[in-house]
Amino acid sequence: MKDFLFSVSTCAFQIEGARSLGGRSQSIWDEFTKRNFVIPPIGKASREINSIEVAADFYHKYKTDARIMHKLGLNAFVYNMDWTRIYPKDENYVNPEGIKFYIDFFEEFNKKNIKPIPVLFHWDTPLWAEIRGGFQNKEIQNWFRNYARTCFKHLGKYTDVWFVSDENSTFSRDAYLSDYLPPQKVGKWNFVNAIHNLNMIAAVTKEEFELAKKEGYISKEAIIGVDHDWSPPIAFSEDIEDTKACERYNEWNLELYLSPSIKGVYPKVFFEYIKKNNLNFVIDNLDLEYLKKNKLDLIGWNYYRPVFIAHSVKKYKDEDWHIPPQYDEELDIYYVFPKKQKYTKWNWLINPDRIITGSQELCKIYGASTPLMILENGMGDFDNKSEEMIIDNDRINYLSIHLQKVLEAKKLGINFIGYSLWTYCDIYSPSGGYRKDYGLVSVDFNSTIRERKPKLSYAWYKKVIENKGNEVFFDIDTLKKELKIILDEWDLFFK
């Protein structure tokens, strides 16, 4: 990897569609969206749970999307893959149509000099696996082994950067400590069991990764990592108790989800949690040795926002907050939302300040030589699509200040190998359905062909890539002229 990777990221169940085509069966997300279908009023910043049967139809439009990304100038594309498409029936049957789709897709992107960066798992467990226990069943380690082995064998020649899983913290907390995400198996025992099996599939995958290298399926220089959605903490005040609250937060929200895969060890808070809650859960010493033996190479980091933390909110008033503080009973801390900060229309904090210091912390804990990559960074919004040009200036402002910090960190010696923004095109969002726009490219979800159209942010990223990140800020008139040229060239092969 000689060049810095300028990439975009997306996810199969959010973009791919064709959920009942090509030999594919159902996953926990198919079942969840059908059972919990809800459409709030138009324009309301609340959760929409909609059909993912077609989504943005990447399954049929990947060649169009490859042209669009090639025109953008990307040299990489992060894609959270669909386990169910490749293994739709059980752990043994490989769906020929499923693996062929990914071979064709990867080949197409390679022709355009765009490196596919696969993420093997992002929350979308096959329904057949969930029926048999899912991440509560230790056998999932063997089921995932077969899946990883198949991917390495057939897709290994197309890329030298891989990730096992994405956002394990959100998945484990919101699916096993709450019912926000499928499989909605709420319980503390389920939670710790899911965490351990997620860490074990990482180790299993690393073992298969090294075997695939020996067999010649993957290059000797290839690396594989885990992607974590760490929101770095900021002490709300200079009170030493707020600093201690941040330390408790990091033990639980950083080290618990990275240390088992990168260091090969669990932090003590995990065992303390098991003991405190009297959980009948014991980790075998063989598992602990296996984790140490099969450590991953690379850290992916989803940076959307930091989080302000206070140990108490008693001395503050309601008018101090943008939205009310949220109390974390387990850690005895408050997540607070200072009124003076900037927020998106979805009440997400806009603050890039912890990218540099956060990456320095990651280097201190996991080693300065460990490669880092921003795998997700983006802004959900309500884009105005009624005019000829989609002027998403707020998104450009957000992306510019964040990418600038990443490139500054790289200049300071942080081993950032790439930046991948979220996301390529408008997709289904687990937190906002189709009303939450994230893409550089608009998708007309009322069109049967899911027609694509570039936004002003597409023109922005194109110029950033052209100058290799040496300039990330451009005046709006320059970008509008660039977008006008792009739109004039946007023929039927880009739609």
Side-chain angles (χ1 to χ4, degrees), residues 160-315:
D160 57 0
V161 182
W162 293 74
F163 288 88
V164 178
S165 57
D166 180 288
E167 299 188 332
N168 288 345
S169 60
T170 297
F171 177 59
S172 58
R173 285 197 306 263
D174 288 354
Y176 300 97
L177 289 181
S178 87
D179 62 359
Y180 188 80
L181 299 178
Q184 299 179 301
K185 291 183 174 177
V186 180
K188 292 179 179 180
W189 188 88
N190 289 344
F191 170 66
V192 297
N193 200 10
I195 288 177
H196 184 57
N197 278 320
L198 284 164
N199 289 323
M200 289 300 293
I201 67 166
V204 162
T205 303
K206 179 61 186 298
E207 184 176 56
E208 287 299 324
F209 194 68
E210 295 304 320
L211 289 171
K213 285 183 180 181
K214 291 178 181 178
E215 293 168 352
Y217 296 129
I218 294 175
S219 73
K220 301 291 185 183
E221 296 75 31
I223 53 177
I224 189 165
V226 63
D227 184 43
H228 182 39
D229 51 336
W230 176 47
S231 296
I234 300 174
F236 182 58
S237 76
E238 295 181 359
D239 189 325
I240 188 64
E241 292 302 322
D242 282 3
T243 301
K244 290 179 179 178
C246 288
E247 292 171 357
R248 293 199 299 278
Y249 170 90
N250 269 344
E251 286 178 335
W252 189 254
N253 291 284
L254 173 60
E255 295 178 50
L256 175 59
Y257 293 100
L258 278 184
S259 292
S261 293
I262 305 300
K263 282 185 168 183
V265 294
Y266 278 106
K268 64 179 181 179
V269 292
F270 189 54
F271 299 104
E272 289 171 353
Y273 180 85
I274 293 169
K275 184 177 180 180
K276 175 184 173 182
N277 290 283
N278 297 312
L279 302 177
N280 183 22
F281 188 82
V282 178
I283 300 177
D284 194 293
N285 284 332
L286 291 176
D287 284 358
L288 296 175
E289 291 172 11
Y290 190 74
L291 288 172
K292 285 183 181 179
K293 186 180 177 182
N294 295 284
K295 293 177 284 188
L296 300 182
D297 316 306
L298 165 67
I299 295 173
W301 183 17
N302 295 354
Y303 184 103
Y304 287 95
R305 52 190 170 168
V307 58
F308 283 91
I309 288 179
H311 78 285
S312 172
V313 295
K314 288 181 180 178
K315 61 182 178 181

Side-chain angles (χ1 to χ4, degrees), residues 396-423:
I396 293 171
N397 292 337
Y398 173 95
L399 294 170
S400 298
I401 59 177
H402 286 79
L403 177 54
Q404 181 191 39
K405 294 294 185 183
V406 175
L407 296 173
E408 283 181 19
K410 184 172 174 58
K411 287 179 181 177
L412 290 171
I414 301 297
N415 190 15
F416 270 120
I417 66 169
Y419 169 86
S420 192
L421 65 81
W422 187 268
T423 177

Side-chain angles (χ1 to χ4, degrees), residues 319-468:
E319 53 263 34
D320 292 327
W321 314 122
H322 174 70
I323 58 175
Q326 298 173 2
Y327 180 59
D328 186 327
E329 184 177 2
E330 183 65 38
L331 301 181
D332 189 27
I333 62 176
Y334 286 88
Y335 306 115
V336 297
F337 307 87
K339 184 158 280 184
K340 293 180 181 179
Q341 294 289 315
K342 292 182 179 179
Y343 297 85
T344 72
K345 295 183 183 75
W346 289 81
N347 291 321
W348 285 36
L349 179 67
I350 302 174
N351 187 321
D353 292 346
R354 288 288 271 125
I355 289 178
I356 294 177
T357 55
S359 60
Q360 290 170 335
E361 288 175 42
L362 290 173
C363 288
K364 185 177 180 180
I365 298 171
Y366 299 107
S369 62
T370 302
L372 301 178
M373 183 172 178
I374 296 291
L375 237 59
E376 292 185 26
N377 170 242
M379 193 189 82
D381 206 354
F382 294 104
D383 294 335
N384 180 3
K385 303 178 182 181
S386 63
E387 305 293 335
E388 177 61 25
M389 286 189 179
I390 302 172
I391 309 298
D392 56 339
N393 220 26
D394 288 346
R395 179 171 295 109
I396 293 171
N397 292 337
Y398 173 95
L399 294 170
S400 298
I401 59 177
H402 286 79
L403 177 54
Q404 181 191 39
K405 294 294 185 183
V406 175
L407 296 173
E408 283 181 19
K410 184 172 174 58
K411 287 179 181 177
L412 290 171
I414 301 297
N415 190 15
F416 270 120
I417 66 169
Y419 169 86
S420 192
L421 65 81
W422 187 268
T423 177
Y424 155 64
C425 71
D426 293 336
I427 54 170
Y428 172 82
S429 164
S431 64
Y434 297 109
R435 69 188 52 220
K436 194 175 190 181
D437 300 310
Y438 268 107
L440 302 176
V441 174
S442 170
V443 175
D444 183 355
F445 292 106
N446 292 317
S447 162
T448 54
I449 63 166
R450 299 302 195 264
E451 187 170 325
R452 273 70 162 141
K453 184 178 181 180
K455 304 176 188 177
L456 196 67
S457 57
Y458 180 95
W460 167 81
Y461 202 31
K462 186 172 187 292
K463 291 194 72 67
V464 169
I465 296 169
E466 283 173 354
N467 71 65
K468 297 185 178 180

